[in-house]
Amino acid sequence: MAEGWEITSMLVGTPSLFALESEITEAYERLSLRGLGYFVIHVNGMAFGMKDLDATLLAAAFDGVNARILRQGSHVAPVLENEDAYALAVAYSRAIYLEHEESELFFGMQDEQFSKLLHANEIIGRRTEKKDSMMEVA
């Protein structure tokens, strides 16, 4: 562990609405690693991520949040700007990760078109492969 570092836990926001939670259980001097711990996102009282003390190296999560903050206001899709953020997150989860009818529309778009719109405008970060389901923290 890097000298001067201590185990740090942080919760920013209101979990019943939206919050980011992280904990560093072991810090590293290498900036590309930063620390070992977990990073969880809370939306409407549900927590998404893996809340284990050794779930991930935190550099990518912290750098991703920082990059989004720096781009604040620039990652928008005008056709979706008046839509509810939670509804968008649920639609994205269904379109990308969950089984759905081929004819199902997401804000008037097929799943692939909806996904491309979110990725092209950097509303969603890197494109991921389809998964069987999203992981929700118990």
Side-chain angles (χ1 to χ4, degrees):
M1 185 179 290
E3 189 174 326
W5 284 77
E6 59 185 61
I7 295 174
T8 303
S9 180
M10 179 174 57
L11 177 67
V12 177
T14 305
S16 62
L17 298 173
F18 178 80
L20 302 175
E21 179 181 5
S22 66
E23 183 165 329
I24 299 172
T25 55
E26 189 170 341
Y28 303 107
E29 289 185 47
R30 284 186 62 185
L31 192 57
S32 62
L33 301 176
R34 299 251 172 80
L36 181 66
Y38 66 84
F39 187 85
V40 174
I41 299 172
H42 297 268
V43 179
N44 283 352
M46 295 180 295
F48 297 91
M50 186 178 285
K51 195 172 179 177
D52 287 336
L53 297 179
D54 62 352
T56 189
L57 291 169
L58 295 163
F62 291 159
D63 289 346
V65 168
N66 186 52
R68 291 197 66 79
I69 289 170
L70 292 173
R71 290 192 326 266
Q72 184 176 356
S74 67
H75 49 276
V76 296
V79 69
L80 300 173
E81 69 183 346
N82 294 319
E83 300 297 341
D84 177 68
Y86 181 75
L88 286 168
V90 169
Y92 181 77
S93 296
R94 287 192 53 72
I96 301 304
Y97 296 105
L98 303 175
E99 293 294 322
H100 57 274
E101 295 294 321
E102 192 172 315
S103 62
E104 184 174 353
L105 298 179
F106 302 91
F107 299 96
M109 295 170 263
Q110 293 287 330
D111 56 1
E112 188 66 25
Q113 182 185 14
F114 178 63
S115 173
K116 284 180 180 178
L117 175 69
L118 295 178
H119 288 284
N121 291 285
E122 294 185 336
I123 294 168
I124 302 294
R126 284 172 268 166
R127 190 164 185 132
T128 58
E129 294 179 27
K130 280 193 174 190
K131 305 289 183 199
D132 290 333
S133 64
M134 288 188 66
M135 180 178 294
E136 182 180 339
V137 175

